[in-house]
Structure formats: C-alpha cells, structure tokens
C-alpha cells in the first residue's frame, strides 16, 4: 500500500462534519468503523470512548487544511508536525498480499499499527499520509471547498493546481450560482441605465425634444 493512500484517511475524517450546515455524521461507533475502509482489523478496536477522541483529531486535521487553504503553509506544517510527534508511525515493507504476474511480491511501504487504541492508530496513519502528500506535492494541494456552505476538505491532484471544489457537484453548483449572479448584475445595470435615460428625457423641455 503506497503512503499516498493514507492521506485519504484524513479527508474522510474531516468531511464527517459540515460546520456551516451544523451537520456531524460522526455520532456512532459504526460511523467511526466505516472510516477505516478495508482496514477491518483496525476498525474492530473502536469503542464508545473513541467518539470524542476522533472528533478532537478531526478538528486538528481540519485546522491543517484550513491553514493550507488560507496560504499559511508554515502554519499547516507546524500543525501537522504536532500530530506526527504525538502519534508516531511504524513504517514497514510489505508485499506478501500483493503478487505480480510471476508470483513475486510487489514490495511497498506500509504503515504498521502498533497504537494503544483505534483513535491513535487512525490519527497516526492519516497524519503520515497527509504529510507525505504535502511534502510530495506541496501544501497548496490541500484545500477546503470554495462552494459555500460546503467547506469539505480535498486533495488537489490536478495537473495545473486548479482544483477549488471537493466534488463535481459543488463545482457545478458554484458555476450556476456565479452565472445567476452575473445575470442579476446585468439586469440591474440595464434597469439602472433605462431609468437614467427616462429621467434624462423627462428633464428636457418640449423645445429641446
């Protein structure tokens, strides 16, 4: 499993909350387990005590995305470093579960989980994955959706660093909103021009007309 894969753990956790809408889907043990995806062995350790701990980690990870999104790259790195120090990982070479066409292992880096609880394990791998993504592609590749009121986190993998939205749905919604705003402005300007012309005509004398 490539280290870049683990950056999705951070995105999944951050996006369990929509602050602007007052929504939070991280309310049950099952919801926490779903965050682990195929890592079912890690998910088995989740219990009720992990709910508040996961929410605390979520807030810290969102702060990383927020700092990067605002252009405070040093701040984003400092916040991420604090997570890495608090939740260290144990990288290992793995490959026994992935064989090539000739039956040889496909060696790759894997983050082994030796943490004391599910929260620490999740925090460790998500922070390391995010750190790998940041150092490999740049802090400006971490962002928050620009389609209000969304603000979901995303990782920009576009070739020209142009991503601004978390999904095609939000991009479409933002484009439609921008189009309607332009049309309203055009209508207001046309109305203002028309009223100005009417007043100008009313102010002239019959002789001038």
């Amino acid at each position: 499993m490539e280290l870049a894969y683990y950056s999705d753990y951070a995105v999944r956790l951050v996006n369990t909350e929509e602050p602007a809408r007052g929504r939070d889907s991280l309310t049950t043990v099952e919801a926490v387990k779903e965050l682990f995806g195929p890592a079912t062995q890690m998910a088995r350790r989740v219990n009720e005590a992990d709910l508040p701990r996961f929410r605390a980690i979520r807030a810290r990870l969102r702060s990383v995305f927020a700092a990067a999104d605002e252009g405070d790259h040093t701040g984003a790195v400092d916040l991420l470093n604090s997570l890495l120090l608090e939740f260290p990982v144990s990288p290992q070479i793995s490959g026994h579960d992935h064989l090539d066409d000739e039956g040889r292992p496909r060696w790759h880096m894997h983050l082994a989980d030796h943490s004391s609880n599910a929260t620490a394990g999740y925090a460790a791998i998500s922070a390391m994955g995010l750190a790998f993504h940041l150092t490999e592609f740049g802090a400006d590749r971490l962002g928050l959706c620009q389609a209000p009121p969304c603000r979901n986190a995303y990782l920009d993998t576009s070739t020209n660093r142009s991503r601004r939205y978390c999904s095609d749905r939000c991009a479409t919604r933002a484009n439609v909103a921008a189009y309607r705003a332009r049309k309203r402005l055009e209508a207001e300007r046309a109305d203002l021009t028309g009223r100005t012309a009417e007043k100008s005509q009313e102010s002239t004398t019959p002789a001038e007309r």
Side-chain angles (χ1 to χ4, degrees):
M1 187 180 295
E2 297 181 359
L3 294 183
Y5 167 86
Y6 291 103
S7 58
D8 288 333
Y9 277 68
V11 173
R12 287 203 297 270
L13 177 54
V14 171
N15 291 347
T16 59
E17 181 184 32
E18 297 178 83
R21 292 189 173 105
R23 298 175 184 173
D24 186 350
S25 62
L26 202 62
T27 57
T28 65
V29 168
E30 288 305 316
V32 174
K33 288 182 177 180
E34 289 176 4
L35 291 171
F36 285 90
T40 55
Q41 184 174 354
M42 295 173 62
R44 291 193 190 102
R45 294 188 296 160
V46 177
N47 57 53
E48 289 289 342
D50 286 300
L51 280 170
R53 293 195 292 245
F54 261 77
R55 294 192 193 106
I57 296 301
R58 178 179 63 189
R60 294 172 67 179
L61 287 171
R62 176 172 283 278
S63 295
V64 175
F65 279 93
D69 188 66
E70 294 167 0
D72 183 9
H73 298 169
T74 300
V77 169
D78 289 342
L79 291 167
L80 195 48
N81 273 336
S82 69
L83 283 166
L84 292 170
L85 287 171
E86 187 174 345
F87 303 102
V89 297
S90 300
Q92 293 182 349
I93 299 174
S94 181
H96 55 276
D97 294 328
H98 302 80
L99 305 179
D100 60 21
D101 295 337
E102 298 180 6
R104 295 175 301 187
R106 296 181 183 273
W107 301 116
H108 56 271
M109 292 301 298
H110 173 79
L111 300 183
D113 178 29
H114 301 303
S115 56
S116 58
N117 57 66
T119 303
Y122 196 98
I125 59 179
S126 59
M128 186 63 195
L130 204 56
F132 177 82
H133 193 94
L134 186 150
T135 54
E136 184 72 11
F137 305 108
D140 58 342
R141 293 287 189 160
L142 278 60
L144 294 175
C145 187
Q146 299 300 304
C150 182
R151 304 301 283 166
N152 270 353
Y154 66 83
L155 298 171
D156 185 3
T157 56
S158 63
T159 56
N160 57 356
R161 300 173 183 266
S162 60
R163 185 171 178 178
R164 294 295 179 269
Y165 308 103
C166 68
S167 64
D168 290 339
R169 179 181 179 183
C170 276
T172 299
R173 183 161 55 83
N175 289 334
V176 169
Y179 172 79
R180 290 175 176 171
R182 287 196 302 271
K183 288 298 181 182
R184 283 196 300 271
L185 182 59
E186 290 172 2
E188 290 171 359
R189 286 175 175 172
D191 182 60
L192 179 61
T193 300
R195 283 189 277 117
T196 301
E198 288 177 1
K199 288 182 179 180
S200 177
Q201 189 174 21
E202 291 173 355
S203 65
T204 60
T205 66
E208 291 174 331
R209 295 175 189 169

